[in-house]
Amino acid sequence: MDTIRSSRDDGTQSRRTSSGSRRNRSSDADRTDIENKNTLTSASRQVTLDDASTAVEDMFQNHYVKIEYSDSRFSLKKLWSFVGPGLLVSQALLDPGNIESDISQANVSGYKLLWLLLLAHIICIFVQSLAARLGVITGRHLAQHIKMQYPWPFAIVFWLLAELAIIGADIQEVVGTATALHILTSIPLWAGVVITAVDSFLFLYVQKLGVRITELVFGLLISTLAVCFFVEMVMIKPDAKEMFKGMFVPLIPQGSVVQAVGIVGCVLMPHNLFLHSALVGSRKLDRRTENREGAIREAMRYFRIETSICLVYAYLINMAVVVVFCKAFEMLRASETPYTASLADGASVLSNVLGSGSKYVYAIGLLAIGQSTTMSGTLSGQYVTEGFWNMPVKPWQRVAITRAISLVPALIVALTAAEHMDLLSEIINVIQAVVLSFTIIPLLKLQAYEEIVGPEFAFGRMAKTAVAVLTLAIIILNAYMIVSVISLHSAVMYVALVVVVAVYALVVSYTVAFPLRCVWADRALVDRAPRFVRWLFGRSAFSIETQNSDD
């Protein structure tokens, strides 16, 4: 009897438990819906790893620099622990394409645009510091944020543009390195292209030695270029008065507008923003609740100083290149010696002025920076691919892919159009200018949202005004560069220009004006939106993103 009563009680209790569990599941489902809506606003601020590295595994996962937080005064020893990412970023301002631009600037405008070169580097310091700031605050790099905050069709467009910019820069770097090998060994240019494409795999070995060794190698290669041109600057004895006048007196000579705009385009590199926001993840900060804000502010301060030092160093090297060729061209004009102002002919120009040994000094510097920039281009591509597709790419696979893509156009240039490298550089600079707009706008926009960087780090009113003015200025300069390069000799070209400008303006307007996903997650916005927009910003997408962030 007791057994029967016990079984009845168990059955009743089981039904009660089942009914209660259904109610609990229902309430849990409602609670989950609310949490999914609310969690997204903080998803961008969550960091998967306790040490606050980037959300996907990066090349520094086993080799990193641990930073202990201490609320103390400025320390040179602590600054040294932050030195590195700025070096890798600065070499992109010295790649063969930039040296080509420096030679063209020296030929057309002499010393008179050195002030603009300085201004462009100052702007670059500001923009690169913002890229580092995003990575330090959120623990994620720019590619990951764009993928999380924009609809997937537009994220794919951003990814394609970023890859196009990286490949364009890679072509210049490969051809420039091949040119240096041709000067040093007299091998054909096409053979130098092949050798350059293959020897990039040596970078894989350097990566295995750790983050500090990798940064040291980049620093040595940049310093090799610096020593080469500083030595030649001392040998050629430039006009110091004209040099300092060009640095501090703002003047754009007649016929130099295209070169002036090109200077800004060569210094502000879109793939550098992706790279810098990722490289700061190699410094592991103390992100415990009690130290988080102080550690982040300390890291941002030291990274600003480190970036400023490295980019000023890059400016001095670029200035040396311009000054050397300014004086060389003056001497050749005085003696009525014919010359060609190009990257490939730079060695012969210096040989005519400083002797045959100078061309080898020039080639060694060009070879060093060419190798450095090809390696950093591979690293940029690795972070872009991992960030947009959320899939780790093995370094050797990334090298193989980028080299396979850039090898064909580089070989075509080497075989058929080496003498038209200046035209190719103009085309690539236009591509970089277009991509820069779609890179810098998300970079600045992301840091204006409290949902992404937190209320303590979001831009204030003055900062928002400053970045808005900067963004508008860069867009105008880039648009002018596009218009100035396109030749308008027919009605077809006019129509093409109108179409290109219209598409450019439309996409830029969307990038600026449309709310990010962290804001669009508000249920009221989603419910009032058209069906197509709900498809792009649907709740299913939010739950996926939240789940990925939590995983």
Side-chain angles (χ1 to χ4, degrees):
M1 196 70 178
D2 292 338
T3 303
I4 296 173
R5 187 181 300 110
S6 176
S7 63
R8 288 175 179 172
D9 292 342
D10 290 343
T12 303
Q13 182 66 28
S14 176
R15 287 191 297 272
R16 290 174 180 173
T17 302
S18 176
S19 176
S21 64
R22 283 195 299 270
R23 286 193 299 270
N24 289 338
R25 282 196 300 270
S26 177
S27 62
D28 288 343
D30 294 339
R31 198 179 307 115
T32 300
D33 288 339
I34 297 173
E35 289 175 354
N36 282 343
K37 182 182 71 174
N38 295 331
T39 303
L40 186 63
T41 60
S42 59
S44 299
R45 296 169 55 191
Q46 296 174 356
V47 181
T48 302
L49 305 181
D50 292 335
D51 58 9
S53 71
T54 50
V56 295
E57 294 185 358
D58 62 314
M59 61 171 284
F60 301 122
Q61 58 182 320
N62 297 321
H63 305 277
Y64 56 85
V65 180
K66 188 174 182 179
I67 306 295
E68 297 292 342
Y69 171 64
S70 58
D71 189 9
S72 59
R73 294 181 178 180
F74 174 80
S75 166
L76 286 175
K77 182 179 180 180
K78 175 159 281 192
L79 175 62
W80 177 249
S81 64
F82 284 94
V83 172
L87 275 176
L88 273 70
V89 168
S90 67
Q91 49 77 39
L93 282 67
L94 302 165
D95 68 358
N98 280 57
I99 295 177
E100 176 99 24
S101 175
D102 291 339
I103 295 173
S104 175
Q105 174 188 342
N107 181 50
V108 175
S109 57
Y111 303 95
K112 295 179 180 178
L113 289 180
L114 287 176
W115 69 271
L116 186 59
L117 187 65
L118 176 61
L119 179 62
H121 280 74
I122 293 173
I123 295 174
C124 188
I125 290 172
F126 177 69
V127 174
Q128 292 296 155
S129 297
L130 290 177
R133 182 180 188 271
L134 179 66
V136 169
I137 294 173
T138 65
R140 289 184 171 88
H141 56 78
L142 181 59
Q144 292 171 313
H145 278 292
I146 292 177
K147 188 246 182 183
M148 290 178 61
Q149 297 298 337
Y150 283 93
W152 66 265
F154 291 95
I156 291 176
V157 171
F158 290 144
W159 170 72
L160 290 174
L161 289 172
E163 292 288 355
L164 185 63
I166 292 171
I167 293 170
D170 200 41
I171 293 172
Q172 289 179 307
E173 293 152 6
V174 170
V175 174
T177 308
T179 301
L181 290 173
H182 173 70
I183 296 170
L184 291 170
T185 63
S186 298
I187 63 173
L189 199 59
W190 66 266
V193 169
V194 175
I195 293 172
T196 304
V198 173
D199 70 11
S200 297
F201 284 93
L202 292 175
F203 179 52
L204 305 181
Y205 177 75
V206 176
Q207 283 182 289
K208 292 182 180 180
L209 299 178
V211 56
R212 296 303 271 175
I213 299 298
T214 302
E215 293 166 350
L216 176 62
V217 169
F218 277 98
L220 290 175
L221 292 173
I222 295 170
S223 296
T224 300
L225 175 68
V227 169
C228 290
F229 276 99
F230 288 158
V231 167
E232 292 188 327
M233 185 170 66
V234 171
M235 292 173 60
I236 205 167
K237 298 177 182 178
D239 188 334
K241 180 180 178 181
E242 289 296 321
M243 184 176 71
F244 283 103
K245 182 180 177 181
M247 289 176 61
F248 299 108
V249 177
L251 177 67
I252 298 179
Q254 187 176 2
S256 302
V257 177
V258 174
Q259 279 74 23
V261 176
I263 288 172
V264 179
C266 288
V267 172
L268 294 173
M269 309 288 283
H271 62 274
N272 252 6
L273 303 180
F274 291 104
L275 180 63
H276 205 174
S277 64
L279 288 177
V280 295
S282 63
R283 270 54 179 181
K284 310 304 179 185
L285 309 180
D286 181 2
R287 301 205 181 220
R288 290 175 296 181
T289 304
E290 62 272 18
N291 294 333
R292 177 181 177 274
E293 183 175 352
I296 289 176
R297 292 193 182 280
E298 179 186 64
M300 289 192 299
R301 177 163 60 101
Y302 279 107
F303 274 127
R304 279 196 301 269
I305 297 171
E306 184 254 358
T307 301
S308 301
I309 293 172
C310 293
L311 295 189
V312 167
Y313 185 37
Y315 169 73
L316 293 175
I317 300 173
N318 273 316
M319 183 195 69
V321 177
V322 175
V323 166
V324 166
F325 280 97
C326 277
K327 185 63 176 180
F329 292 149
E330 286 179 3
M331 296 172 69
L332 292 177
R333 291 190 196 104
S335 62
E336 297 184 353
T337 303
Y339 66 87
T340 303
S342 67
L343 186 71
D345 295 300
S348 62
V349 169
L350 295 177
S351 295
N352 290 332
V353 174
L354 297 175
S356 59
S358 62
K359 72 176 184 180
Y360 297 109
V361 177
Y362 170 80
I364 290 171
L366 185 59
L367 177 64
I369 200 62
Q371 286 292 290
S372 176
T373 50
T374 53
M375 291 189 293
S376 69
T378 299
L379 190 57
S380 300
Q382 179 181 341
Y383 279 118
V384 167
T385 301
E386 289 178 352
F388 278 107
W389 293 103
N390 198 26
M391 59 178 185
V393 178
K394 294 181 179 179
W396 71 266
Q397 293 174 337
R398 181 68 209 181
V399 172
I401 293 170
T402 55
R403 289 299 160 267
I405 294 174
S406 63
L407 184 60
V408 174
L411 281 173
I412 293 174
V413 172
L415 293 172
T416 63
E419 66 276 11
H420 300 298
M421 187 64 189
D422 54 342
L423 177 60
L424 177 65
S425 296
E426 284 188 359
I427 296 173
I428 292 175
N429 287 340
V430 169
I431 294 173
Q432 299 278 6
V434 172
V435 177
L436 179 64
S437 300
F438 303 116
T439 307
I440 197 170
I441 292 173
L443 172 67
L444 301 178
K445 188 174 179 179
L446 286 164
Q447 299 184 63
Y449 283 83
E450 294 183 0
E451 294 84 355
I452 294 175
V453 296
E456 64 272 36
F457 297 112
F459 286 153
R461 184 174 300 175
M462 292 295 294
K464 288 179 181 179
T465 303
V467 298
V469 171
L470 175 64
T471 303
L472 182 61
I474 291 174
I475 291 174
I476 293 173
L477 283 173
N478 292 338
Y480 181 84
M481 177 183 287
I482 295 170
V483 173
S484 64
V485 170
I486 296 178
S487 180
L488 302 176
H489 294 308
S490 66
V492 175
M493 294 305 298
Y494 274 105
V495 173
L497 178 61
V498 170
V499 171
V500 169
V501 171
V503 173
Y504 176 77
L506 182 64
V507 180
V508 166
S509 299
Y510 165 81
T511 309
V512 171
F514 212 74
L516 300 180
R517 181 171 282 157
C518 62
V519 177
W520 198 258
D522 187 342
R523 185 183 296 270
L525 277 176
V526 175
D527 289 340
R528 290 200 303 266
R531 179 173 297 180
F532 173 72
V533 176
R534 288 203 303 270
W535 173 71
L536 290 179
F537 285 95
R539 292 192 188 90
S540 60
F542 300 145
S543 62
I544 291 173
E545 292 294 343
T546 304
Q547 182 179 357
N548 288 340
S549 299
D550 292 339
D551 289 342

